[in-house]
Amino acid sequence: MEELVYIQHEVLPSLFQGLWISVLLIIPSASLGLVIGILMGAARVFAGRPVMMAANIYVALFRGIPLVVQLFIWYFGLPYFGIYFSPFLASVVAFSLCSGAYHSEYIRGALLSIKKGQMLAAEALGFGRLEMLRSIVLPQALRRALPGCGNELIYLIKYSSLAYMVTCIELTGKGKILASHSFKYTEIFLIVGAFYLVLVSLAGLLLRHMENRLSLPGFEFHRT
Amino acid sequence: MARTDNNPVLKVENVRKSFGDKEILKGLSLSVKKGEVKVIIGPSGGGKSTLLQCINFLVVPDEGEVWLEGRKINYAKKRELYAYRQQVGMIFQDFNLFDHLTALENVQIGLVRVKKMDKVSAHERAAAELRRVGLAEHAGHYPAQLSGGQKQRVSIARALAMDPKVMLLDEPTSALDPELIGEVHAVIKDLVANGMTMLMATHQIGFASVLADEIIFMEDGCIVEQGPPTQILLNAQCTRTKEFCAKITHLSADS
């Protein structure tokens, strides 16, 4: 009984605060990550050699270095150069750049799947390269990339839990603090886990809804 | 007036193109006058597609010049290139419709995005072009829901909406099964009757002989022989032309 009261009055309010911070981390990181991913993906397929190389190096770095290490560099490393990020900002920067690297790979694949003929047709109509990318190539590529990018969003929700390593106390951080005070590790982390599960399920529903809304004849997502 | 009528709408001079060490076009020249229809025939791999794609610089020629209405096209200048391409309609063998757009949107998008026409007028114009190719009732269908013949007609409507001064057709019916060829031919015939200037590559020799003012026989990146259909098909000077025409006429008689 005492335990339930403790959970209801101490644990849940604190975890909800943490959850809110997590959501505040996830939303800008997911949006920025997607934008970076689209730019980098497009650069890796369509840009001239120097830009393409730069984008490839970006992906190699941010996909190749463990995210925790990246977080540490942004938060603990940059002050060495006189640049100070708040824990929150350091986390958003690290998550966006990492997420962007993964997104760019899904988007690159989708861009490569667009039939060359359609680009010829657009060019023959007098489209410039950017206009063609915007109105012909990307609308199709994004539809094809959606399942992969959705997957990346779900990863992001879970790796946002790393933010507490640089003292941005979000859901996992709150859980850790509560648990070390009360030693109720099992109960508290079960609740934390359930929170993440709910977030991921909501994201899954949202993605499914988007897939259905964006589905067109010829672009159906076949589910078996 | 007479002077402008004699000037070619489209003039191609000495176009050369190599891929690696294989020379695809070996210095080709041709010209098309206003309202004229020229048909290119010849074996596959002879450079017909490459020639057509070089004309609107989808493939950049290694050498050579293209003139539209007496103006030499400087394709290195992007603005000039894009403006030129708007005036040259291109029809592809495999239609190349935009898969994420309906038939109507396929026709409309060039008007809105390239010609910067407002949406309402673009919509009207697109609908009119679809009616012209007999597809008014399919306006809302996506490419995946259209037959090959319908797709090719949409692509013709898409090109026409841009008010091209000349059209390049690259084997417009080669990817269609025999039953669907007729509907596309009917649309092309209608264009010719309305005075469209055209340069078309095709294997449909019967169709070509009815429409063409001149037939150009092309092989190995060169023009072997050119002249009015009767001369090329019945009385070719060059044996190779004769051989090819005999074979292809025989084939189309079979089908």
Side-chain angles (χ1 to χ4, degrees):
Chain A
M1 199 55 215
E2 200 185 314
E3 213 165 43
L4 272 180
V5 171
Y6 170 72
I7 286 176
Q8 197 183 346
H9 289 279
E10 304 276 330
V11 175
L12 286 181
S14 183
L15 288 186
F16 272 114
Q17 277 176 18
L19 177 68
W20 179 238
I21 303 290
S22 288
V23 171
L24 288 183
L25 280 171
I26 290 163
I27 289 174
S29 306
S31 325
L32 266 174
L34 186 62
V35 172
I36 295 173
I38 291 171
L39 292 176
M40 291 298 151
R44 293 174 70 198
V45 179
F46 293 112
R49 227 183 134 64
V51 180
M52 187 187 280
M53 291 282 282
N56 283 336
I57 291 170
Y58 157 79
V59 174
L61 280 179
F62 287 87
R63 232 170 29 147
I65 298 173
L67 184 54
V68 185
V69 177
Q70 291 182 42
L71 266 172
F72 286 169
I73 293 172
W74 291 116
Y75 187 63
F76 298 116
L78 284 188
Y80 182 77
F81 300 100
I83 301 167
Y84 295 87
F85 281 175
S86 70
F88 180 81
L89 186 60
S91 307
V92 170
V93 168
F95 296 160
S96 305
L97 288 169
C98 175
S99 194
Y102 281 98
H103 275 310
S104 89
E105 198 64 4
Y106 297 119
I107 291 181
R108 188 175 69 96
L111 287 171
L112 290 174
S113 80
I114 306 297
K115 283 170 252 157
K116 181 101 190 338
Q118 293 187 51
M119 295 182 223
L120 286 180
E123 287 189 297
L125 285 171
F127 277 77
R129 270 181 98 70
L130 274 182
E131 189 58 62
M132 171 178 89
L133 209 63
R134 189 170 82 96
S135 35
I136 307 297
V137 180
L138 278 179
Q140 295 184 47
L142 290 181
R143 283 188 167 84
R144 299 212 186 282
L146 193 57
C149 291
N151 209 23
E152 176 53 29
L153 171 66
I154 287 177
Y155 272 123
L156 171 66
I157 290 173
K158 291 179 294 172
Y159 63 62
S160 73
S161 66
L162 290 173
Y164 89 93
M165 304 283 282
V166 293
T167 71
C168 177
I169 305 304
E170 38 61 78
L171 182 53
T172 308
K174 289 279 187 198
K176 184 111 194 313
I177 291 168
L178 288 167
S180 49
H181 278 289
S182 62
F183 290 101
K184 295 186 191 305
Y185 282 92
T186 317
E187 296 87 336
I188 288 171
F189 280 116
L190 276 174
I191 298 172
V192 169
F195 275 32
Y196 278 110
L197 199 58
V198 169
L199 272 185
V200 167
S201 308
L202 285 176
L205 281 176
L206 177 79
L207 286 165
R208 187 161 274 229
H209 175 71
M210 275 175 74
E211 282 184 14
N212 288 335
R213 279 209 44 186
L214 292 175
S215 171
L216 294 177
F219 287 87
E220 296 93 344
F221 295 100
H222 297 285
R223 296 201 182 87
T224 47
Chain B
M1 280 315 282
R3 200 170 60 98
T4 48
D5 279 347
N6 282 327
N7 281 345
V9 174
L10 182 76
K11 191 167 77 168
V12 178
E13 267 184 358
N14 193 33
V15 168
R16 288 178 186 277
K17 180 70 193 176
S18 302
F19 291 113
D21 51 9
K22 186 155 168 47
E23 198 171 23
I24 305 294
L25 298 176
K26 300 172 179 166
L28 263 157
S29 302
L30 58 85
S31 66
V32 192
K33 283 186 217 142
K34 191 167 165 51
E36 207 176 25
V37 177
K38 292 204 176 178
V39 170
I40 308 173
I41 61 170
S44 300
K48 300 189 299 291
S49 283
T50 310
L51 172 65
L52 290 174
Q53 300 206 350
C54 274
I55 290 177
N56 64 357
F57 304 102
L58 292 177
V59 170
V60 178
D62 299 331
E63 231 182 274
E65 290 171 357
V66 178
W67 303 65
L68 184 73
E69 294 187 322
R71 279 194 49 175
K72 189 182 152 191
I73 308 305
N74 179 1
Y75 63 86
K77 276 198 183 147
K78 286 203 167 148
R79 290 184 77 107
E80 196 176 325
L81 175 63
Y82 299 155
Y84 162 72
R85 282 179 177 158
Q86 288 177 44
Q87 304 174 64
V88 179
M90 179 100 187
I91 303 299
F92 298 89
Q93 188 175 339
D94 36 14
F95 333 124
N96 294 341
L97 291 186
F98 306 130
D99 286 336
H100 65 306
L101 300 176
T102 62
L104 187 91
E105 289 165 338
N106 259 283
V107 183
Q108 187 181 326
I109 192 158
L111 298 172
V112 177
R113 296 288 185 213
V114 179
K115 291 212 156 180
K116 309 290 178 199
M117 197 186 266
D118 69 276
K119 279 227 165 105
V120 180
S121 339
H123 184 280
E124 268 172 29
R125 178 69 201 267
E129 292 302 343
L130 279 184
R131 268 199 305 280
R132 182 167 166 186
V133 298
L135 288 174
E137 70 276 28
H138 295 284
H141 288 169
Y142 286 89
Q145 299 166 312
L146 297 172
S147 73
Q150 291 167 337
K151 283 189 223 182
Q152 192 60 296
R153 281 146 72 197
V154 173
S155 97
I156 293 173
R158 178 173 69 180
L160 288 176
M162 305 295 280
D163 287 321
K165 292 187 171 136
V166 54
M167 285 180 78
L168 310 173
L169 297 94
D170 187 4
E171 301 194 22
T173 54
S174 292
L176 297 175
D177 50 277
E179 285 190 304
L180 302 176
I181 290 178
E183 60 187 78
V184 174
H185 279 177
V187 169
I188 296 174
K189 263 185 195 154
D190 186 53
L191 291 182
V192 173
N194 284 301
M196 178 59 76
T197 312
M198 260 185 215
L199 184 59
M200 170 164 65
T202 186
H203 289 303
Q204 302 288 325
I205 203 83
F207 178 62
S209 64
V210 177
L211 286 187
D213 296 303
E214 185 173 287
I215 290 186
I216 298 170
F217 177 64
M218 197 178 150
E219 189 174 37
D220 287 332
C222 299
I223 292 178
V224 177
E225 192 168 353
Q226 55 188 321
T230 43
Q231 181 200 318
I232 297 291
L233 299 178
L234 304 173
N235 193 19
Q237 304 299 304
C238 172
T239 43
R240 185 60 192 116
T241 316
K242 256 184 207 159
E243 255 174 52
F244 182 81
C245 290
K247 259 186 211 155
I248 204 167
T249 319
H250 183 68
L251 274 176
S252 43
D254 279 352
S255 63

